[in-house]
Amino acid sequence: MQAPIPVTLLSGFLGAGKTTLLKRIVENSGNFRVAVVVNDVAALNIDSSLVRNTRALGSSEQVLELQNGCVCCTLRADLVKAIADLASKRAFDAIVVESSGVAEPSQVAETFGIDVSSAHRDSADAKEKKELAAAVRSLRGASALQEVARLDTCVTVVDAGAFNGDLASAADLVERFGTRDAGGEAGEEDGERNVSTLLVHQIEFADLIVLNKCDLASRSDVLAIKNALATLNPGAEIVCAIRSDVPLNKLLATNRFDLNKAANAAGWLQTLRGGGKVVETREYGICNFVYTSRTPFHPTRLRMFLDDFAAVLDLAAAAAADDDDDDDDDDAMDAGMTMSTDDDGDDPREAETREKAKAEAAEKLAISRQKYGHVFRSKGFVWIAGRDEVCGEWGHAGAVLQLDCGGPWMGMLPQDMWPEEGSEERDMLLRDFANPVVMDRRQELVFIGRHMNKTAITAALERCLVTRAEASSARPAGASIGGRIDEWKLGLTSLSAEVRSTDRVHGLQTFFNHPSVSTFTRVPFQLTDARVLYGIAGGGRGRVPGVAHVGGAFPRGRRR
């Protein structure tokens, strides 16, 4: 049986230099036979034309376009078909796939491991079933793409001149890249995704980062960005380039990609696991640190800190659909973010509102940086008073901070859902248990940035912690708390009720509208950061049931 053909995946924002890099690969491939799969965004055929015009190709089938779409989804039947067809020709030494600028590479990587035959069999949609049937035929007996083509190298191209601006951007992907109907790259659904969050995700999943257009930034800025990239993704190789000039041996058939390594490459995750170093590069001010505490946050004070710390807050929970409050539209404006509506979008007042929100977000970001420094990534887990069953997942990139419910703390789960006994992951989990009362509840947040004010950030978070006096006054008169250590930190439900009643000003709807822990134990889990931390994926003893983990650290559709 022929060995799977190596595939290089190119990711990066529109304008970063992906297509130029693709042209250089074709130009310099020599006797190394390279096939290319590119986007045909809005049927404009621009990228494929640029590549075809590079030189006379030996085969008219060396460049394939995906019609009217983009390489950005978890399962693209046409992507599977294109790669499988190229692999079956046995005429190429490697395949290069140029993903959309709005693509999350982890989702594209998932395509290689999906059982297409099963997906075809289970699909109830006629159109999808037809597309999957074509992909199944192209696989020629294989059940998954990885049997005929293996993901070999994940490259993310970063624009040195635009990096700081994109990281600080409060814009969504539609604003930044335009819609596909208008010749851009974003779909309507991308109005809910942020530029800074996507940029960080593309960086964290790469095994090779091309810092391109270094001639458009000063030497000191380039070195500072390179240090920042190394802190965000310590395991990736970083190559500085001008006009996407990168040696071919770093791009093709490198055998560099490793799924487990990619899933755990993020600097924040390595730091929480103890494998990443707390660093400080004095020359460029790049540093990171970890904040920890075993006392819950007061929800109102935490909400106030978040509003002070982040330019844009996204506190919407997936469980918001269960909220019976019909007045949610009144909360449309929250720290610079607007809710989407069913309006036609032609009202000039809407554009004015967006511009005002962007200006307010930029002003908030500037004030936050004066107070806390330039924090371009923070990530981890939070414990909020009154919601002792579930952990909060904190995800912050650049201008945008998202806070979601991450499911039960591990201590709330049956032990047969924990990692295997005796495993390194099990030992790591047990180390996170403070005592039988607190168990693994904690504040554990990694901060990565440049010239950060660690003292100010730490002091602000310390002020958010519930005090013992507040805990006593929050309990009903005459209520006892027992004599066990730290028991006073539990059961502060009146603080939750206080937040519910004042939610329009200070609230954290994410946690107080969320299902109880008993609901979580009855349904399949989404893949949450906590489960990634302990190496829990899907299937088998000690694994969360119902979760297929390939690459990404977050539930599909919400990346933080």
Side-chain angles (χ1 to χ4, degrees), residues 424-496:
E424 182 181 345
E425 291 80 8
R426 179 74 165 240
D427 292 341
M428 182 168 56
L429 169 60
L430 294 176
R431 286 195 297 270
D432 284 331
F433 273 62
N435 55 51
V437 175
V438 171
M439 295 189 287
D440 61 322
R441 301 180 183 97
R442 66 195 185 279
Q443 322 294 354
E444 189 171 25
L445 297 168
V446 179
F447 290 84
I448 301 172
R450 184 180 185 186
H451 299 304
M452 289 190 299
N453 190 336
K454 176 182 176 181
T455 301
I457 296 171
T458 301
L461 291 171
E462 289 288 307
R463 289 193 293 270
C464 293
L465 299 175
V466 172
T467 66
R468 190 152 191 159
E470 286 174 328
S472 297
S473 62
R475 298 182 186 282
S480 62
I481 61 173
R484 294 188 297 172
I485 186 171
D486 288 335
E487 200 159 358
W488 65 271
K489 300 175 182 179
L490 303 180
L492 305 178
T493 54
S494 63
L495 295 180
S496 305

XYZ file of all heavy atoms in Angstrom, residues 424-496:
565
model
N 0.233 10.008 34.069
C 0.757 11.344 34.371
C -0.373 12.354 34.483
O -0.344 13.249 35.332
C 1.736 11.758 33.270
C 2.383 13.116 33.497
C 3.340 13.499 32.377
O 3.710 12.609 31.579
O 3.715 14.694 32.307
N -1.403 12.198 33.635
C -2.541 13.112 33.674
C -3.309 12.983 34.991
O -3.774 13.970 35.551
C -3.477 12.847 32.492
C -2.915 13.227 31.142
C -1.966 12.181 30.581
O -1.862 11.079 31.198
O -1.336 12.448 29.549
N -3.435 11.738 35.491
C -4.123 11.525 36.768
C -3.333 12.182 37.904
O -3.907 12.824 38.789
C -4.279 10.026 37.007
C -4.950 9.628 38.323
C -6.452 9.885 38.303
N -7.130 9.199 39.391
C -8.075 8.283 39.222
N -8.458 7.952 38.008
N -8.645 7.718 40.263
N -2.019 12.021 37.879
C -1.177 12.642 38.907
C -1.309 14.159 38.865
O -1.369 14.822 39.905
C 0.285 12.237 38.718
C 0.523 10.754 38.993
O -0.332 10.138 39.662
O 1.554 10.228 38.539
N -1.353 14.724 37.664
C -1.489 16.159 37.514
C -2.832 16.630 38.065
O -2.922 17.669 38.738
C -1.349 16.550 36.043
C -1.437 18.035 35.774
S -0.921 18.460 34.098
C -2.024 17.424 33.137
N -3.877 15.858 37.803
C -5.200 16.192 38.314
C -5.200 16.177 39.843
O -5.708 17.113 40.483
C -6.229 15.199 37.772
C -7.629 15.228 38.398
C -8.263 16.598 38.205
C -8.509 14.154 37.792
N -4.607 15.158 40.438
C -4.599 15.050 41.891
C -3.789 16.178 42.530
O -4.111 16.634 43.633
C -4.043 13.687 42.310
C -4.905 12.476 41.927
C -4.226 11.176 42.300
C -6.288 12.574 42.580
N -2.755 16.635 41.829
C -1.976 17.753 42.356
C -2.799 19.034 42.412
O -2.488 19.952 43.177
C -0.717 17.982 41.507
C 0.368 16.943 41.710
C 1.702 17.430 41.143
N 1.666 17.638 39.706
C 1.960 16.704 38.802
N 2.292 15.476 39.209
N 1.916 16.973 37.517
N -3.843 19.111 41.596
C -4.700 20.289 41.591
C -5.755 20.259 42.692
O -6.513 21.216 42.845
C -5.388 20.443 40.231
C -4.450 20.988 39.171
O -3.519 21.727 39.541
O -4.650 20.680 37.982
N -5.826 19.165 43.446
C -6.775 19.059 44.549
C -6.143 19.646 45.805
O -5.101 19.177 46.267
C -7.170 17.601 44.789
C -8.319 17.152 43.934
C -8.210 17.151 42.551
C -9.510 16.736 44.509
C -9.266 16.745 41.750
C -10.577 16.334 43.706
C -10.456 16.332 42.329
N -6.774 20.682 46.364
C -6.224 21.341 47.543
C -6.552 20.572 48.814
O -5.692 20.337 49.666
C -6.763 22.767 47.645
N -7.823 20.179 48.938
C -8.290 19.429 50.112
C -9.676 18.877 49.775
O -10.234 19.198 48.721
C -8.320 20.319 51.362
C -9.155 21.582 51.170
O -10.298 21.517 50.741
N -8.554 22.743 51.482
N -10.255 18.053 50.627
C -11.560 17.446 50.303
C -12.694 18.438 50.149
O -13.734 18.099 49.576
C -11.809 16.508 51.495
C -10.452 16.202 52.041
C -9.667 17.463 51.858
N -12.547 19.656 50.640
C -13.610 20.654 50.536
C -13.495 21.451 49.236
O -14.409 21.485 48.412
C -13.574 21.612 51.746
C -14.605 22.732 51.565
C -13.852 20.850 53.030
N -12.369 22.078 49.038
C -12.156 22.890 47.844
C -11.963 22.024 46.606
O -12.352 22.391 45.501
C -10.937 23.828 48.048
C -10.556 24.528 46.752
C -11.250 24.854 49.123
N -11.375 20.852 46.789
C -11.040 19.947 45.677
C -10.196 20.708 44.634
O -9.210 21.329 44.998
C -12.307 19.331 45.084
C -13.039 18.415 46.072
S -14.401 17.464 45.359
C -15.620 18.735 45.130
N -10.578 20.672 43.351
C -9.749 21.343 42.335
C -10.273 22.726 41.978
O -9.816 23.322 41.004
C -9.630 20.478 41.078
C -10.978 20.208 40.402
O -11.974 20.007 41.119
O -11.039 20.185 39.157
N -11.208 23.256 42.762
C -11.688 24.613 42.502
C -10.536 25.595 42.721
O -9.812 25.513 43.718
C -12.847 24.964 43.430
C -14.049 24.039 43.315
C -15.142 24.473 44.276
N -16.293 23.592 44.262
C -16.512 22.613 45.129
N -15.639 22.399 46.110
N -17.591 21.856 45.038
N -10.413 26.543 41.799
C -9.282 27.461 41.911
C -9.384 28.592 40.901
O -10.151 28.511 39.947
C -7.961 26.713 41.684
C -7.804 26.168 40.258
C -6.682 25.138 40.193
N -6.401 24.666 38.846
C -7.101 23.732 38.216
N -8.147 23.165 38.806
N -6.753 23.335 36.996
N -8.565 29.608 41.123
C -8.253 30.602 40.110
C -6.868 30.242 39.578
O -5.923 30.110 40.363
C -8.222 32.021 40.694
C -9.258 32.335 41.758
C -10.680 32.322 41.230
O -10.921 32.178 40.030
N -11.655 32.442 42.118
N -6.756 30.063 38.279
C -5.453 29.753 37.680
C -5.425 30.380 36.291
O -6.031 29.878 35.352
C -5.229 28.240 37.593
C -3.814 27.886 37.194
C -3.542 26.389 37.326
O -4.505 25.588 37.254
O -2.375 26.022 37.496
N -4.747 31.488 36.181
C -4.761 32.279 34.962
C -3.336 32.589 34.511
O -2.520 33.092 35.291
C -5.506 33.596 35.182
C -6.994 33.494 35.534
C -7.524 34.833 36.014
C -7.784 32.999 34.336
N -3.046 32.278 33.255
C -1.757 32.597 32.647
C -1.892 33.925 31.906
O -2.833 34.109 31.130
C -1.317 31.501 31.660
C 0.017 31.873 31.014
C -1.206 30.165 32.357
N -0.955 34.822 32.131
C -0.919 36.104 31.426
C 0.361 36.175 30.594
O 1.454 35.911 31.099
C -0.964 37.274 32.410
C -2.285 37.435 33.107
C -2.570 36.700 34.243
C -3.252 38.307 32.615
C -3.788 36.833 34.888
C -4.471 38.446 33.251
C -4.746 37.708 34.389
N 0.207 36.504 29.322
C 1.343 36.636 28.402
C 1.258 38.019 27.772
O 0.203 38.422 27.286
C 1.297 35.565 27.296
C 1.312 34.155 27.898
C 2.462 35.729 26.320
C 1.083 33.046 26.876
N 2.353 38.730 27.776
C 2.292 40.068 27.206
C 3.635 40.760 27.158
O 4.691 40.145 27.323
N 3.573 42.047 26.964
C 4.769 42.875 26.816
C 4.679 44.049 27.777
O 3.673 44.754 27.798
C 4.878 43.375 25.372
C 6.148 44.162 25.071
C 6.151 44.600 23.619
N 7.405 45.256 23.264
C 7.640 45.845 22.094
N 6.689 45.832 21.165
N 8.792 46.417 21.858
N 5.712 44.216 28.584
C 5.736 45.274 29.600
C 4.469 45.226 30.451
O 3.824 46.253 30.703
C 5.877 46.655 28.939
C 7.133 46.823 28.139
N 8.394 46.635 28.664
C 7.327 47.135 26.833
C 9.306 46.848 27.727
N 8.689 47.136 26.608
N 4.098 44.033 30.884
C 2.911 43.894 31.722
C 3.193 44.404 33.133
O 4.303 44.273 33.647
C 2.472 42.430 31.792
C 1.877 41.888 30.524
S 1.120 40.262 30.752
C 2.512 39.268 31.279
N 2.168 44.944 33.768
C 2.255 45.375 35.153
C 1.694 44.255 36.026
O 0.503 44.248 36.367
C 1.469 46.672 35.356
C 1.725 47.296 36.721
O 2.111 46.615 37.665
N 1.499 48.598 36.817
N 2.555 43.308 36.340
C 2.127 42.134 37.110
C 1.539 42.549 38.456
O 0.534 41.988 38.901
C 3.306 41.184 37.310
C 2.994 39.974 38.167
C 4.218 39.092 38.363
C 3.922 37.930 39.298
N 5.125 37.081 39.507
N 2.136 43.545 39.086
C 1.669 43.987 40.397
C 0.238 44.506 40.313
O -0.614 44.167 41.147
C 2.599 45.082 40.951
O 3.929 44.561 41.048
C 2.127 45.548 42.318
N -0.049 45.313 39.290
C -1.391 45.882 39.149
C -2.416 44.802 38.820
O -3.534 44.809 39.366
C -1.393 46.957 38.063
N -2.057 43.869 37.936
C -2.995 42.799 37.571
C -3.294 41.921 38.776
O -4.458 41.603 39.084
C -2.420 41.950 36.414
C -2.279 42.805 35.147
C -3.311 40.738 36.146
C -1.527 42.109 34.020
N -2.242 41.533 39.490
C -2.416 40.665 40.655
C -3.244 41.359 41.736
O -4.158 40.753 42.322
C -1.048 40.256 41.224
O -0.292 39.576 40.212
C -1.200 39.350 42.428
N -2.951 42.607 42.001
C -3.692 43.341 43.033
C -5.164 43.474 42.663
O -6.049 43.337 43.523
C -3.066 44.723 43.229
N -5.439 43.722 41.377
C -6.830 43.855 40.933
C -7.585 42.542 41.105
O -8.755 42.535 41.524
C -6.869 44.300 39.477
N -6.937 41.432 40.793
C -7.573 40.125 40.958
C -7.758 39.786 42.433
O -8.782 39.201 42.821
C -6.749 39.045 40.258
C -6.746 39.120 38.726
C -5.726 38.155 38.136
C -8.137 38.817 38.159
N -6.797 40.158 43.255
C -6.920 39.899 44.695
C -8.125 40.649 45.267
O -8.812 40.135 46.155
C -5.637 40.336 45.411
C -4.431 39.453 45.136
C -4.527 38.106 45.819
O -4.756 38.071 47.043
O -4.394 37.080 45.111
N -8.374 41.843 44.748
C -9.530 42.611 45.235
C -10.850 41.967 44.832
O -11.895 42.276 45.414
C -9.457 44.049 44.712
C -8.377 44.890 45.349
C -8.551 46.373 45.020
N -8.335 46.651 43.613
C -7.146 46.964 43.092
N -6.068 47.018 43.863
N -7.036 47.224 41.806
N -10.821 41.097 43.846
C -12.052 40.416 43.412
C -12.409 39.233 44.299
O -13.532 38.709 44.216
C -11.892 39.922 41.968
S -11.766 41.228 40.740
N -11.487 38.770 45.111
C -11.732 37.585 45.928
C -12.746 37.874 47.036
O -12.764 38.961 47.617
C -10.425 37.090 46.546
C -9.324 36.668 45.571
C -8.053 36.309 46.327
C -9.773 35.502 44.700
N -13.570 36.898 47.332
C -14.540 37.015 48.412
C -13.804 37.014 49.750
O -12.886 36.216 49.962
C -15.546 35.850 48.369
C -16.438 35.854 49.608
C -16.399 35.928 47.122
N -14.196 37.899 50.627
C -13.606 37.918 51.961
C -14.433 37.041 52.903
O -15.603 36.738 52.637
C -13.554 39.341 52.530
O -14.903 39.812 52.738
C -12.831 40.277 51.554
N -13.820 36.672 54.016
C -14.527 35.831 54.978
C -15.717 36.585 55.575
O -16.775 35.994 55.833
C -13.568 35.380 56.085
C -14.148 34.322 56.980
C -13.095 33.442 57.584
N -13.682 32.284 58.227
C -13.042 31.165 58.493
N -11.781 31.035 58.111
N -13.637 30.159 59.101
N -15.553 37.882 55.777
C -16.657 38.685 56.318
C -17.829 38.713 55.348
O -18.998 38.607 55.754
C -16.167 40.103 56.601
N -17.537 38.845 54.053
C -18.609 38.837 53.047
C -19.310 37.482 53.025
O -20.529 37.403 52.885
C -18.029 39.132 51.662
C -17.640 40.571 51.442
C -16.937 40.784 50.113
O -16.227 39.863 49.649
O -17.102 41.870 49.539
N -18.525 36.427 53.182
C -19.114 35.091 53.178
C -20.052 34.901 54.359
O -21.137 34.320 54.235
C -18.005 34.031 53.200
N -19.666 35.426 55.509
C -20.514 35.298 56.702
C -21.819 36.065 56.537
O -22.904 35.559 56.863
C -19.755 35.812 57.930
O -18.605 35.034 58.166
N -21.718 37.277 55.998
C -22.931 38.087 55.832
C -23.806 37.569 54.706
O -25.008 37.867 54.662
C -22.548 39.544 55.559
O -21.809 39.642 54.346
N -23.234 36.790 53.799
C -24.015 36.269 52.675
C -24.857 35.070 53.068
O -25.758 34.682 52.329
C -23.082 35.878 51.525
N -24.572 34.485 54.244
C -25.335 33.310 54.667
C -26.567 33.729 55.451
O -26.575 34.765 56.129
C -24.464 32.397 55.528
C -23.258 31.859 54.786
C -22.440 30.908 55.640
N -21.229 30.532 54.951
C -21.152 29.630 53.980
N -22.251 29.004 53.608
N -20.004 29.351 53.408
N -27.619 32.908 55.378
C -28.825 33.196 56.173
C -28.490 33.244 57.657
O -27.564 32.569 58.123
C -29.760 32.020 55.848
C -29.250 31.487 54.538
C -27.779 31.710 54.540
N -29.236 34.046 58.407
C -29.001 34.168 59.845
C -29.103 32.803 60.517
O -30.044 32.046 60.273
C -30.009 35.138 60.456
N -28.140 32.485 61.337
C -28.143 31.229 62.071
C -27.602 30.052 61.300
O -27.487 28.952 61.846
N -27.269 30.239 60.039
C -26.742 29.125 59.247
C -25.325 28.812 59.680
O -24.508 29.699 59.916
C -26.763 29.479 57.765
N -25.029 27.528 59.804
C -23.679 27.097 60.193
C -22.958 26.594 58.954
O -23.566 26.147 57.990
C -23.756 25.982 61.244
O -24.420 24.848 60.708
N -21.642 26.672 59.018
C -20.856 26.267 57.856
C -20.014 25.034 58.122
O -19.310 24.562 57.238
C -19.935 27.412 57.395
C -18.961 27.791 58.510
C -20.738 28.609 56.959
C -17.903 28.787 58.073
N -20.086 24.491 59.316
C -19.272 23.325 59.604
C -17.859 23.744 59.975
O -17.459 24.895 59.802
N -17.102 22.776 60.466
C -15.785 23.107 60.985
C -14.636 22.779 60.062
O -13.476 22.975 60.428
N -14.925 22.282 58.858
C -13.826 21.889 57.968
C -13.151 23.122 57.367
O -13.799 24.130 57.088
C -14.339 20.978 56.859
C -14.838 19.630 57.365
C -15.139 18.692 56.205
N -16.213 19.202 55.352
C -16.548 18.649 54.189
N -15.897 17.576 53.756
N -17.528 19.161 53.475
N -11.874 22.994 57.133
C -11.112 24.097 56.571
C -11.667 24.486 55.197
O -12.057 23.629 54.401
C -9.613 23.703 56.461
C -8.782 24.913 56.019
C -9.412 22.557 55.488
C -7.280 24.666 56.095
N -11.762 25.778 54.954
C -12.209 26.352 53.681
C -13.687 26.157 53.393
O -14.167 26.566 52.330
C -11.402 25.778 52.503
C -9.980 26.294 52.467
O -9.736 27.387 53.002
O -9.110 25.612 51.890
N -14.437 25.582 54.326
C -15.859 25.352 54.043
C -16.638 26.658 53.924
O -17.698 26.708 53.287
C -16.470 24.456 55.123
C -17.754 23.789 54.683
C -18.092 22.547 55.508
O -17.304 22.193 56.402
O -19.145 21.948 55.238
N -16.104 27.724 54.480
C -16.775 29.029 54.406
C -16.828 29.564 52.974
O -17.626 30.452 52.662
C -16.063 30.044 55.303
C -14.651 30.382 54.894
C -13.526 29.735 55.276
C -14.239 31.433 54.027
N -12.410 30.317 54.709
C -12.824 31.364 53.933
C -14.916 32.425 53.316
C -12.079 32.247 53.166
C -14.173 33.307 52.556
C -12.779 33.215 52.477
N -16.009 29.009 52.088
C -15.946 29.493 50.701
C -17.055 28.919 49.820
O -17.251 29.391 48.698
C -14.590 29.134 50.095
C -13.411 29.725 50.837
C -12.077 29.246 50.258
C -10.904 29.823 51.044
N -9.597 29.350 50.523
N -17.773 27.929 50.329
C -18.785 27.245 49.524
C -20.192 27.739 49.851
O -20.451 28.259 50.931
C -18.709 25.733 49.750
C -17.373 25.054 49.464
C -17.470 23.560 49.740
C -16.927 25.296 48.033
N -21.102 27.536 48.898
C -22.517 27.774 49.146
C -22.924 29.230 49.230
O -23.958 29.554 49.829
N -22.144 30.128 48.620
C -22.463 31.555 48.703
C -23.460 31.936 47.610
O -23.233 32.826 46.794
C -21.176 32.378 48.591
C -20.077 32.025 49.602
C -18.830 32.865 49.358
C -20.584 32.221 51.022
N -24.586 31.258 47.631
C -25.568 31.426 46.558
C -26.240 32.784 46.582
O -26.744 33.257 45.559
C -26.642 30.326 46.641
O -27.205 30.325 47.959
C -26.036 28.960 46.362
N -26.273 33.433 47.748
C -26.915 34.752 47.800
C -26.132 35.767 46.977
O -26.703 36.727 46.457
C -27.043 35.234 49.246
O -25.758 35.410 49.829
N -24.821 35.568 46.831
C -24.040 36.444 45.969
C -24.461 36.254 44.521
O -24.518 37.206 43.751
C -22.544 36.160 46.125
C -21.938 36.469 47.488
C -20.451 36.131 47.496
C -22.143 37.935 47.849
N -24.776 35.004 44.153
C -25.278 34.734 42.814
C -26.618 35.409 42.588
O -26.880 35.981 41.529
C -25.433 33.222 42.598
O -24.224 32.552 42.864
